């Protein structure tokens, strides 16, 4: 179901990546599962930092590469930012007890979701960031009705 459910943007610099994230803050609603796809250094954590700033989080936004998840209690929901890059096997999902974080009042953004194999919950939205010669290309796709509603409220 991809008709009308994919939007692309060119991001010339880091600021554009931060702004794309921040621009989602006004309309983002929980629950939502978001996959962040792209190579190392593509801008997945930068995008999340922009979103959290837009959501009025004033503290630091660390990459969760070592912690696996950083959680941010916000006004309307809790945002969980995962990075599964360092998983040696998908079973680490269960060892870390991550299922408990996928609650109704949570928005979950997941870097390297494929590292969790079948344990990673399905995505409502995928944000893909890809290196281009100058900057990054962002493609946002919705996979569920909820995801499509969020995407349309954000980028249409
Ligand atoms: P990831 O989480 O995908 O590994 P990071 O967000 O940690 O990537 O790092 C992305 C790097 O690329 C940062 O150094 C950031 O300044 C830079 N960057 C982010 N967006 C852009 C962009 N649109 N154009 C050029 N550089 C960017
Ligand atoms: Mg990252």
């Amino acid at each position: 179901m991809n008709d009308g459910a994919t939007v692309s943007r060119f991001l010339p610099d880091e600021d554009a990546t931060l702004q794309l994230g921040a621009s989602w803050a006004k309309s983002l609603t929980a629950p939502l599962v978001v996959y962040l796809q792209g190579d190392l250094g593509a801008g997945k954590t930068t995008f999340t930092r922009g979103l959290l700033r837009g959501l009025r989080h004033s503290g630091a936004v660390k990459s969760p590469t070592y912690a696996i998840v950083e959680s941010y209690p916000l006004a309307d929901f809790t945002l969980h930012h995962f990075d599964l890059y360092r998983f040696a096997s998908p079973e680490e999902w269960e060892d870390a007890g991550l299922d408990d974080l996928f609650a109704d009042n949570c928005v979950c953004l997941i870097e390297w979701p494929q590292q969790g194999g079948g344990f990673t919950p399905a995505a409502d939205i995928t944000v893909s960031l890809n290196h281009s010669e100058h900057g990054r290309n962002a493609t946002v796709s919705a996979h569920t009705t909820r995801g499509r509603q969020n995407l349309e409220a954000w980028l249409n």
Side-chain angles (χ1 to χ4, degrees):
M1 57 178 272
N2 255 355
D3 287 339
T6 298
V7 177
S8 295
R9 293 276 192 276
F10 175 63
L11 307 171
D13 53 25
E14 176 183 23
D15 219 49
T17 305
L18 290 166
Q19 277 180 30
L20 180 66
S23 71
W24 200 3
K26 283 193 291 287
S27 59
L28 178 61
T29 58
L32 205 70
V33 177
V34 181
Y35 286 1
L36 300 174
Q37 298 281 14
D39 292 341
L40 276 180
K44 303 179 295 295
T45 296
T46 303
F47 172 87
T48 305
R49 188 171 289 128
L51 172 59
L52 280 161
R53 283 188 193 159
L55 291 165
R56 305 275 180 259
H57 169 74
S58 54
V61 176
K62 287 189 295 180
S63 174
T65 308
Y66 292 93
I68 297 175
V69 58
E70 298 281 348
S71 298
Y72 304 87
L74 302 164
D76 295 331
F77 50 77
T78 295
L79 188 151
H80 298 296
H81 178 202
F82 300 81
D83 184 341
L84 311 184
Y85 183 72
R86 290 171 53 82
F87 268 20
S89 77
E91 281 67 33
E92 289 193 34
W93 181 279
E94 289 200 303
D95 299 342
L98 300 183
D99 273 338
D100 295 346
L101 301 179
F102 287 71
D104 272 356
N105 60 340
C106 295
V107 170
C108 294
L109 277 73
I110 312 172
E111 301 188 31
W112 302 97
Q114 63 272 27
Q115 293 279 95
F119 294 106
T120 312
D124 296 294
I125 287 188
T126 299
V127 177
S128 297
L129 295 160
N130 295 290
H131 288 82
S132 73
E133 200 178 340
H134 307 285
R136 307 286 188 271
N137 290 307
T139 303
V140 185
S141 302
H143 314 294
T144 63
T145 302
R146 175 175 291 282
R148 184 192 291 253
Q149 288 164 349
N150 265 268
L151 175 54
E152 286 174 354
W154 171 23
L155 291 175
N156 279 359

